[in-house]
Amino acid sequence: MKKHKIEKTNAMRMLDQSNIPYETGEYEYDESDLSGDHVADYLGISKEEIFKTLVTRGNDNELYVFVVPVSGELDLKKAAAAAGVKKVEMIHVKEIFNLTGYLRGGCSPIGMKKQYPTFIDETAILFDKIYISGGKRGLQIIIDPQVLADFTGAKLVDIGKE
C-alpha cells in the first residue's frame, strides 16, 4: 500500500527546520462542524486532546493568540488578564488570512506571518500530545504541549471558560 505524501505547510517546515518532533493526522474538513467532534471521531481520539487557535485583538490594538480545547471556550476576561491588557476581542473572520496567513479552520499557532504573543490553556499539559491545526484545513499537528509552548514562546495559563 502506497502512503501518500502530505504537502508541507509553513508550520511543518518551521518545526522541521528546528528539529522539533511531531506527527500529523489528516481528516475530512467539514465547514458545517467546527465543534471538533468529527475530527476526534476521524482520528480516533478524545475531543479534549484537540486544541483550536483563536486570534484576538487587545484594547492596545495588538494581536494575541490563544490555544484552547476545541471542546471549550475562551474566557475573554481571563485572556485579557493573561495578555496584560484590559480587554481582548476576537478578530473578524475576514481578517484572519491577512493577519496570520492562514484560513479559518486551518489557523496554527506555528508559522503565522508574525509571531504574536501566544497563550495555551493549561489543560494541554494533561496530555502527552495535543492536536493543533497543521496550517491548513484537514491537517493536524500532533505535538508535546510543552514543546509547543517552548517553540512558540507561549505561556501555559488558565484561559478557558468555567
Side-chain angles (χ1 to χ4, degrees), residues 2 11 14 25-26 31 37 54 56 59 65 68 75 93-95 99 105 111 115-117 119-121 140 143 161-162:
K2 188 179 176 191
M14 288 182 74
E26 291 184 281
E31 183 72 42
D37 290 335
L54 303 173
T56 66
N59 61 291
V65 175
V68 297
D75 183 313
V93 174
K94 290 186 281 189
E95 294 181 280
L99 294 171
Q115 182 62 52
Y116 301 110
F119 304 87
I120 301 171
D121 189 78
Q140 294 284 296
I143 190 167
K161 263 194 179 159
E162 299 297 318

Side-chain angles (χ1 to χ4, degrees), residues 50-91 96 100 102 106-110 112 114-124 130-133 148-149 152-161:
I50 304 172
F51 284 68
K52 59 189 171 188
T53 303
L54 303 173
V55 183
T56 66
R57 182 175 282 113
N59 61 291
D60 59 354
N61 214 30
E62 295 294 322
L63 296 184
Y64 299 95
V65 175
F66 296 94
V67 181
V68 297
V70 75
S71 59
E73 276 185 68
L74 177 66
D75 183 313
L76 294 174
K77 285 190 187 322
K78 289 180 181 177
V85 295
K86 286 184 177 158
K87 182 179 167 189
V88 296
E89 52 189 41
M90 299 299 297
I91 64 168
I96 292 173
T100 68
Y102 292 125
C107 193
S108 179
I110 303 167
M112 289 187 185
K114 185 178 168 200
Q115 182 62 52
Y116 301 110
T118 303
F119 304 87
I120 301 171
D121 189 78
E122 64 188 6
T123 60
I130 60 169
Y131 292 65
I132 59 167
S133 175
L148 174 64
T152 58
K155 293 179 182 161
L156 288 153
V157 291
D158 174 17
I159 48 176
K161 263 194 179 159

